[in-house]
């Protein structure tokens, strides 16, 4: 794309008109460049356009910011994915409110049209995190691109799951490409760029505002074949994504959770309202009627090494402690009680096992066998 | 007619003797007190006059001048009532004589009865040092004063009784029996069910004098655990007990009729406390909470809620064991060598790590909350302890815990090992937590495997390098509890588990 062309897209994006209005303009004039060279009367002749719309267009035309954006986008290695581009997600393109262009950092490939969204709360339970991670890594190993929102919690687990099994993942942002939110996921964002892309319809420098996220969610569901709700309390943004998905005609799969846990109340409401229940990736693909691209071999070697990995040499206290540990988080006090060792012995054994990579620790003084051994 | 007798007062924690000179000259009635008296001392005139009359003595209607010497130190409080009254009686000839080497102090009420005053123990100790022989004090202060060996203490209830005491008609107070070996605390560790790792961590804290930061949801029993920490610390030595009692006496916090404080103090100031309340202050400087916690435990619940300047003020005392309160006109140093225990919730609402309750906070709120205690403040704690909330069944679980006395024995043994080592090296410290940076290598000898473990832990577990020294000191204490001279892998490995807040555990999948 010529720089002038890209600049016109950025200008159009910066007008602040709704995606529908922007598309109306492009359809009427053929390209953003043509939109900006059109006369006032030509624009006002379009259905529903008023002086207000016109003034927004003229203002964006005079603005110097898009040029700076273009320069910055280039410098950070980003690019514009327009609705005319054949890489533009076909499922998304069909929607009336599809963004005419997306700012992208990373790569978009043909296979990425086989995308599945995984969403959920920012403060999940261990179970939710584990399931999100597991589903994502399985999907990625089947050749699907995992779409999520780079938020903490379920989103993070989903991205990590896809990345760890060598798959691809998209993160759709509620802010500008140059504003990574939350900041704690900076490193994760970098990895997503290397193995997928960060996408956003918001201009550079846009701060994350609360009302951006529901809008952003329509892209997450819109570009995906199906949406999986892993863990959502009643006020969760994931439920908004589920609403979008239903409106857009996407299947919504919901992971069932413990019925007494508030962070799953949204899941259960969706199930009651008739959403599909998620039981396994295979069942889900079956229901969707899509087939896997690849054999899920790499996953096998990564997540179930029981037969192949031999236990390293352990001291008696380490061996005893190891035998009490499971794949669920356990508090140190419970490990002490079950192992019948002294507290000091157990604590030192846990650190030594952790250094050997066999044990993981989380907040609240809890431990479990590490993923490699699950 | 001039009468001279002696009394005592306290400046900060430092006692000094005061000469009370009373002169009665002919003239119109007047009553003047000189020698930098404060309001309470000036009002003494009214109390003394009423008390003398109401006890049936004659109050001389002449020109009365009282001088409190040294005249350049400001005097406060009502403790000079008794010596002034006795001085007037003496100068007026209603009292035959006042024996050499006797000190009197006490507050008079209008009917002539005596009330308790502050700082008696400190004054008694000073009296002994200056070879005085007798002390007349309000009877509620008598036990406290009688701790000082070789001083005859008379506890009296009224002005007439004080006069009789001078005449030798009142029996002296018997010195209290002191048993420091078996302190009597109102709480005990045997009442704590479960919480094994917390108990272990507190045992290590007591054995090495290590500061502790507890993190856990409301209802995890953080306060309950902290309150029991003094019960497993070594019993106070006699000189420590004297210091503690002296501070409480000066602060007016000594329970009525109490002699020596034989238990280690536990102080838990509320998080709205001011810096002056915490470290001490006032125009007549009084010890603050940290000095009241001297040789005991200072517990700061809801640590992130404390004002930043208040926490900042803790820096000097934590490093030096004393605190200097400096004002424009004076500065006073109070002892403040305490074991710091703090507690906080994992998030503002408290339920972030709890499986059964829903946390109401956004991740940003949680991060901000935790950031408040980051960096330098986190560095003050040797041991990080995550305490779980117990379910009803767990609290009711049968089998009582180990009694404090038993844990205390192990702690005492570990302390003795440390003491021996410090004496050999000529270090003026009494626990591992206070090992100066220069002496760490010499005192904390790691075997090769232990070194390797520490190295790889710092590399792979995301521990900060500044955690290094703290881990080594805590490992030293763990080895001492086990009676091992070198620090072995298991000691260092356990010490590493107590640095959880240095690690990025909170974002993990």
């Amino acid at each position: 794309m010529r720089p002038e062309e890209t600049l016109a897209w950025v200008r159009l994006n910066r007008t602040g008109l709704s995606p529908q209005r922007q598309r109306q303009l492009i359809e009427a004039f053929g390209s953003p460049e043509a939109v900006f060279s059109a006369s006032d009367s030509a624009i006002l002749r379009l259905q529903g356009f008023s002086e207000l719309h016109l003034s927004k267009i003229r203002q964006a035309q005079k603005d110097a910011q898009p040029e700076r954006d273009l320069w910055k986008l280039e410098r950070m290695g980003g690019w514009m994915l327009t609705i005319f581009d054949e890489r533009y997600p076909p499922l998304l393109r069909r929607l009336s409110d599809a963004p005419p262009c997306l700012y992208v950092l990373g790569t978009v490939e043909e296979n990425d049209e086989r995308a599945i969204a995984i969403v959920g709360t920012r403060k999940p339970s261990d179970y939710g995190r584990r399931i999100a991670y597991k589903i994502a890594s399985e999907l990625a190993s089947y050749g699907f691109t995992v779409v999520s929102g780079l938020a903490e919690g379920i989103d993070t687990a989903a991205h990590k799951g896809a990345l760890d099994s060598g798959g691809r993942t998209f993160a759709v942002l509620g802010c500008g490409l140059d504003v990574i939110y939350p900041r704690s996921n900076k490193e994760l964002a970098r990895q997503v760029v290397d193995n997928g892309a960060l996408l956003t319809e918001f201009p550079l420098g846009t701060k994350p505002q609360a009302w951006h996220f529901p809008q952003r969610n329509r892209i997450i569901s819109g570009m995906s074949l199906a949406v999986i709700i892993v863990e959502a309390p009643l006020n969760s943004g994931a439920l908004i994504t589920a609403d979008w998905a239903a409106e857009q005609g996407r299947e919504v799969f919901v992971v069932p959770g413990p019925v007494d846990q508030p962070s799953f109340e949204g899941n259960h409401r969706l199930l009651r309202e008739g959403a599909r229940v998620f039981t396994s990736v295979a069942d889900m693909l079956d229901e969707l009627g899509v087939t896997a691209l690849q054999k899920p071999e790499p996953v096998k070697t990564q997540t179930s090494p029981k037969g192949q990995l031999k236990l390293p040499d352990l001291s008696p206290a380490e061996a005893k402690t190891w035998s009490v540990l499971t794949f669920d988080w356990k508090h140190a006090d419970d490990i002490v009680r079950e192992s019948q060792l002294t507290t000091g012995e157990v604590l030192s054994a846990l650190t030594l096992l952790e250094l050997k990579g066999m044990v993981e620790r989380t907040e609240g003084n809890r431990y479990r066998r590490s993923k490699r051994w699950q | 007619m001039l009468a001279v007798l002696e009394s005592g007062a306290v400046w900060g924690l430092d006692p000094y003797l005061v000469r009370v000179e009373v002169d009665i000259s002919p003239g119109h009635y007047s009553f003047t007190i000189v020698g930098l008296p404060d309001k309470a001392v000036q009002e003494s005139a009214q109390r003394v006059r009423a008390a003398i009359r109401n006890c049936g003595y004659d109050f001389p209607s002449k020109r009365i001048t009282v001088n409190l010497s040294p005249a350049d130190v400001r005097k406060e409080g009502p403790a000079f009532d008794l010596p002034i009254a006795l001085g007037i009686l003496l100068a007026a000839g209603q009292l035959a004589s006042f024996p050499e080497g006797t000190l009197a102090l006490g507050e008079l009420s209008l009917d002539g009865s005596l009330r308790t005053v502050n700082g008696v123990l400190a004054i008694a100790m000073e009296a002994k040092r200056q070879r005085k022989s007798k002390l007349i004090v309000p009877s509620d202060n008598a036990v406290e004063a009688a701790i000082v060996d070789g001083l005859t203490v008379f506890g009296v209830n009224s002005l007439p009784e004080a006069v009789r005491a001078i005449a030798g008609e009142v029996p002296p107070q018997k010195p209290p029996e002191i048993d420091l070996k078996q302190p009597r605390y109102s709480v005990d560790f045997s009442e704590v069910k479960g919480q094994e790792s917390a108990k272990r961590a507190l045992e290590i804290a007591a054995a090495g004098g290590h500061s502790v930061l507890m993190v856990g949801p409301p209802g995890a029993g953080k306060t309950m655990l902290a309150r029991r920490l003094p019960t497993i610390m070594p019993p106070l030595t006699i000189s420590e007990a004297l210091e503690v009692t002296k501070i409480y006496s000066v602060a007016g916090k000594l329970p009525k009729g109490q002699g020596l404080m034989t238990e280690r103090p536990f102080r838990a100031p509320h998080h709205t406390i001011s810096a002056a309340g915490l470290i001490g202050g006032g125009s007549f400087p009084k010890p603050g909470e940290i000095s009241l916690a001297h040789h005991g435990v200072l517990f700061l619940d809801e640590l992130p809620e404390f004002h930043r300047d208040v926490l900042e003020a803790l820096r000097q005392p934590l490093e030096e064991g004393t605190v200097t309160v400096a004002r424009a006109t004076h500065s006073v140093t109070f002892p403040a060598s305490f074991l710091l225990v703090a507690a906080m919730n994992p998030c503002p609402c408290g339920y972030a790590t709890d499986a059964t309750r829903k946390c109401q906070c956004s991740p940003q709120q949680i991060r901000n909350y935790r950031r408040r205690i980051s960096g330098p403040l986190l560095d003050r704690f040797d041991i990080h302890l995550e305490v779980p909330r117990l379910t009803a069944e767990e609290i009711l679980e049968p089998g009582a815990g180990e009694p404090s006395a038993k844990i205390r024995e192990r702690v005492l043994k570990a302390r003795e090992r440390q003491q021996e080592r410090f004496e050999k090296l000529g270090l003026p410290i009494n626990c591992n937590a206070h090992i100066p940076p220069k002496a760490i290598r010499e005192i904390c000898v790691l075997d090769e495997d232990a070194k390797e473990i520490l190295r790889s832990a710092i590399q792979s577990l995301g521990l900060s390098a500044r955690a290094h020294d703290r881990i080594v000191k805590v490992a030293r204490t763990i080895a001492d509890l086990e009676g091992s001279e070198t620090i072995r892998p298991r000691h260092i490995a356990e010490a590493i588990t107590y640095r959880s807040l240095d690690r990025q555990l909170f974002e993990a999948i």
Side-chain angles (χ1 to χ4, degrees):
Chain A
M1 205 161 30
R2 288 176 294 114
E4 297 78 28
E5 224 176 309
T6 317
L7 182 63
W9 280 104
V10 177
R11 273 196 204 290
L12 184 67
N13 177 259
R14 280 241 175 224
T15 55
L17 296 175
S18 71
Q20 287 94 330
R21 291 268 175 240
Q22 291 182 29
R23 286 185 66 173
Q24 199 182 347
L25 285 168
I26 295 169
E27 272 155 29
F29 299 102
S31 75
E33 276 179 296
V35 170
F36 289 110
S37 53
S39 67
D40 287 3
S41 57
I43 292 172
L44 285 174
R45 229 177 289 134
L46 294 174
Q47 194 186 351
F49 271 76
S50 65
E51 290 287 344
L52 185 72
H53 296 112
L54 183 65
S55 74
K56 279 186 175 169
I57 294 168
R58 294 300 174 225
Q59 210 165 2
Q61 207 165 354
K62 277 182 283 175
D63 198 356
Q65 189 60 39
E67 280 172 51
R68 287 197 287 268
D69 282 358
L70 195 61
W71 181 72
K72 191 168 180 191
L73 188 67
E74 213 163 276
R75 220 178 38 153
M76 61 193 279
W79 50 285
M80 298 294 281
L81 175 61
T82 73
I83 200 153
F84 295 146
D85 198 312
E86 50 188 44
R87 289 168 295 182
Y88 192 92
L91 286 170
L92 187 60
R93 189 186 285 139
R94 271 183 239 150
L95 303 178
S96 64
D97 58 352
C101 63
L102 289 166
Y103 297 81
V104 182
L105 202 55
T107 55
V108 179
E109 296 170 0
E110 199 186 328
N111 277 338
D112 288 335
E113 61 182 289
R114 297 162 53 83
I116 291 187
I118 298 177
V119 294
T121 175
R122 292 181 294 169
K123 288 180 299 176
S125 60
D126 294 332
Y127 168 77
R129 258 192 239 272
R130 197 176 71 222
I131 293 299
Y133 183 90
K134 207 171 150 214
I135 299 175
S137 58
E138 226 172 297
L139 281 172
S141 70
Y142 280 119
F144 288 94
T145 299
V146 173
V147 182
S148 198
L150 201 69
E152 285 154 328
I154 296 295
D155 288 13
T156 298
H159 290 302
K160 282 193 180 164
L163 292 168
D164 286 355
S165 63
R168 288 179 59 78
T169 181
F170 282 167
V172 186
L173 309 180
C175 53
L177 268 191
D178 52 344
V179 185
I180 295 300
Y181 175 85
R183 254 178 294 171
S184 54
N185 271 348
K186 226 171 174 164
E187 173 57 27
L188 180 66
R190 212 186 47 73
Q191 292 175 25
V192 170
V193 170
D194 290 343
N195 300 284
L198 304 179
L199 311 160
T200 181
E201 63 177 317
F202 296 104
L204 292 182
T206 308
K207 296 266 174 341
Q209 304 286 346
W211 51 271
H212 288 169
F213 292 96
Q215 197 184 334
R216 175 278 308 260
N217 290 351
R218 86 180 193 287
I219 302 180
I220 292 183
S221 58
M223 66 193 296
S224 307
L225 293 164
V227 175
I228 303 172
I229 311 288
V230 177
E231 179 172 3
L234 280 179
N235 58 356
S236 174
L239 297 184
I240 297 176
T241 314
D243 287 345
W244 280 116
E247 207 171 298
Q248 296 161 346
R250 308 284 184 263
E251 287 297 349
V252 176
F253 287 85
V254 178
V255 175
V259 288
D260 63 345
Q261 203 165 310
S263 62
F264 280 97
E265 277 171 14
N267 292 38
H268 299 132
R269 201 192 74 191
L270 286 174
L271 287 171
R272 224 174 39 234
E273 288 169 1
R276 298 205 184 188
V277 62
F278 178 92
T279 44
S280 72
V281 169
D283 289 351
M284 181 184 76
L285 295 181
D286 209 30
E287 277 191 67
L288 282 175
V290 289
T291 46
L293 271 190
Q294 303 157 6
K295 285 259 162 71
E297 271 166 66
V299 187
K300 273 273 184 267
T301 53
Q302 269 204 341
T303 56
S304 51
K306 265 178 222 154
Q308 298 145 42
L309 272 175
K310 259 177 57 188
L311 283 180
D313 288 337
L314 297 178
S315 74
E318 285 168 27
K320 183 83 204 156
T321 305
W322 172 253
S323 72
V324 172
L325 285 165
T326 62
F327 302 124
D328 287 319
W329 295 110
K330 237 183 218 185
H331 194 274
D333 288 352
D334 296 328
I335 302 170
V336 170
R337 201 178 39 238
E338 288 171 36
S339 67
Q340 312 213 314
L341 297 167
T342 66
T343 313
E345 282 171 326
V346 167
L347 292 178
S348 74
L350 285 168
T351 301
L352 295 171
L353 287 169
E354 196 180 359
L355 287 172
K356 290 186 173 114
M358 298 171 67
V359 163
E360 290 173 336
R361 176 177 184 171
T362 189
E363 58 180 333
N365 206 3
R366 291 172 301 159
Y367 298 82
R368 70 173 178 198
R369 292 184 176 189
S370 68
K371 254 178 250 133
R372 211 151 61 84
W373 295 85
Q374 287 184 18
Chain B
M1 283 166 294
L2 176 69
V4 179
L5 36 82
E6 281 181 300
S7 185
V10 175
W11 175 248
L13 278 188
D14 301 326
Y16 59 96
L17 298 192
V18 176
R19 261 163 66 96
V20 179
E21 303 165 348
V22 180
D23 176 72
I24 303 181
S25 323
H28 289 297
Y29 171 72
S30 73
F31 197 144
T32 317
I33 300 173
V34 297
L36 293 183
D38 81 343
K39 196 81 186 154
V41 179
Q42 281 184 355
E43 287 171 350
S44 186
Q46 310 303 320
R47 289 191 296 271
V48 166
R49 187 174 158 186
I52 287 181
R53 282 198 173 147
N54 290 333
C55 291
Y57 301 102
D58 278 336
F59 189 82
S61 188
K62 294 180 180 168
R63 187 181 160 131
I64 302 170
T65 311
V66 175
N67 180 34
L68 304 175
S69 139
D72 58 345
V73 184
R74 302 209 314 141
K75 319 286 184 314
E76 71 147 352
F80 301 113
D81 288 3
L82 181 62
I84 291 173
L86 291 173
I88 290 172
L89 293 181
L90 190 62
Q94 300 185 59
L95 190 62
S97 68
F98 194 76
E100 268 300 297
T102 303
L103 263 63
L105 58 153
E107 174 188 338
L108 281 172
S109 46
L110 299 187
D111 65 357
S113 58
L114 277 170
R115 293 200 180 144
T116 39
V117 290
N118 298 339
V120 170
L121 174 63
I123 295 167
M125 287 161 86
E126 179 66 10
K128 162 110 188 286
R129 206 177 64 80
Q130 300 211 13
R131 299 175 191 284
K132 305 293 169 190
S133 58
K134 290 184 192 128
L135 195 60
I136 302 172
V137 293
S139 55
D140 280 337
N141 293 119
V143 188
E144 167 190 352
I147 297 166
V148 180
D149 218 17
L151 208 58
T152 313
V153 176
F154 299 99
V156 294
N157 285 313
S158 64
L159 181 58
E161 203 179 340
V163 172
R164 284 205 299 282
I166 292 165
E169 292 161 14
V170 173
Q173 172 74 35
K174 277 197 216 95
E177 278 178 33
I178 296 167
D179 181 15
L180 289 169
K181 287 273 176 295
Q182 295 301 329
R184 280 187 297 274
Y185 290 97
S186 58
V187 293
D188 197 278
F189 258 106
S190 62
E191 297 144 10
V192 183
K193 317 252 158 52
Q195 301 283 23
E196 292 310 322
S197 46
K199 281 193 235 170
R200 167 76 177 167
L202 291 181
E203 179 176 336
I204 295 167
H210 300 292
S211 49
V212 181
L213 175 58
M214 293 193 273
V215 184
K222 297 178 295 240
T223 308
M224 177 193 74
L225 286 163
R227 193 172 284 285
R228 283 162 178 76
L229 182 54
T231 70
I232 57 169
M233 291 166 75
L236 287 168
T237 64
I238 182 75
S239 70
E240 284 173 343
L242 280 172
E243 270 183 80
V244 173
T245 312
K246 198 165 118 180
I247 295 167
Y248 273 71
S249 162
V250 167
K253 303 251 184 211
L254 200 63
K256 262 192 188 169
Q258 164 117 21
L260 205 60
M261 301 264 299
T262 50
E263 284 81 39
R264 289 189 182 264
F266 175 83
R267 301 297 297 183
H270 189 253
H271 59 73
T272 51
I273 192 171
S274 67
L278 192 69
I279 66 169
S283 56
F284 281 93
K286 285 267 185 287
E289 287 291 334
I290 58 169
S291 296
L292 293 171
H294 185 53
H295 291 313
V297 172
L298 179 71
F299 179 55
L300 304 181
D301 200 2
E302 309 284 1
L303 184 68
E305 305 291 341
F306 279 82
H307 292 291
R308 207 153 253 286
D309 58 322
V310 171
L311 296 175
E312 207 44 48
L314 279 177
R315 190 193 295 236
Q316 186 213 0
L318 277 173
E319 276 161 20
E320 296 168 16
T322 59
V323 61
T324 303
V325 180
R327 295 286 180 272
T329 53
H330 57 262
S331 89
V332 174
T333 300
F334 293 115
S337 170
F338 53 88
L339 183 48
L340 178 62
V341 180
M344 62 181 282
N345 294 331
C347 69
C349 84
Y351 293 100
T353 57
D354 197 293
T356 50
R357 289 277 290 269
K358 193 177 162 219
C359 171
Q360 306 288 339
C361 321
S362 74
Q364 188 61 41
Q365 278 176 308
I366 296 177
R367 264 197 302 275
N368 286 344
Y369 181 78
R370 288 176 184 168
R371 198 171 292 144
R372 271 191 247 170
I373 55 120
S374 67
L377 187 56
L378 207 51
D379 266 0
R380 313 265 156 85
F381 295 97
D382 289 355
I383 295 178
H384 304 161
L385 181 58
E386 289 177 272
V387 194
R389 192 160 71 107
L390 293 180
T391 58
E393 302 97 80
E394 281 168 312
I395 290 169
L396 294 174
E397 206 169 315
E402 199 175 12
S404 293
K406 241 175 136 186
I407 306 174
R408 193 163 58 228
E409 272 170 39
R410 293 198 295 268
V411 168
L412 198 56
K413 280 219 182 77
R415 284 271 181 133
E416 280 162 6
R417 294 183 71 88
Q418 296 168 35
Q419 204 57 51
E420 222 171 275
R421 195 177 301 127
F422 298 147
E423 269 162 27
K424 230 182 270 165
L425 295 167
L427 282 169
I429 52 175
N430 58 18
C431 59
N432 286 337
H434 297 153
I435 299 174
K438 276 184 221 151
I440 286 183
R441 269 169 199 286
E442 196 178 349
I443 294 177
C444 306
V445 188
L446 276 68
D447 70 14
E448 278 311 311
D449 290 345
K451 270 187 205 158
E452 183 50 43
I453 283 170
L454 185 54
R455 221 183 344 256
S456 69
I458 287 179
Q459 265 171 19
S460 63
L461 298 186
L463 288 169
S464 63
R466 59 171 189 250
H468 179 278
D469 285 3
R470 304 208 172 255
I471 292 173
V472 170
K473 285 188 204 174
V474 172
R476 175 69 270 166
T477 304
I478 295 171
D480 284 335
L481 274 169
E482 204 185 279
S484 162
E485 202 47 41
T486 48
I487 299 174
R488 300 200 186 286
R490 58 175 180 279
H491 306 137
I492 208 91
E494 186 181 349
I496 289 166
T497 61
Y498 300 124
R499 296 305 299 178
S500 58
L501 295 188
D502 284 345
R503 299 172 51 182
Q504 294 285 318
L505 292 176
F506 295 103
E507 309 282 343
I509 289 194

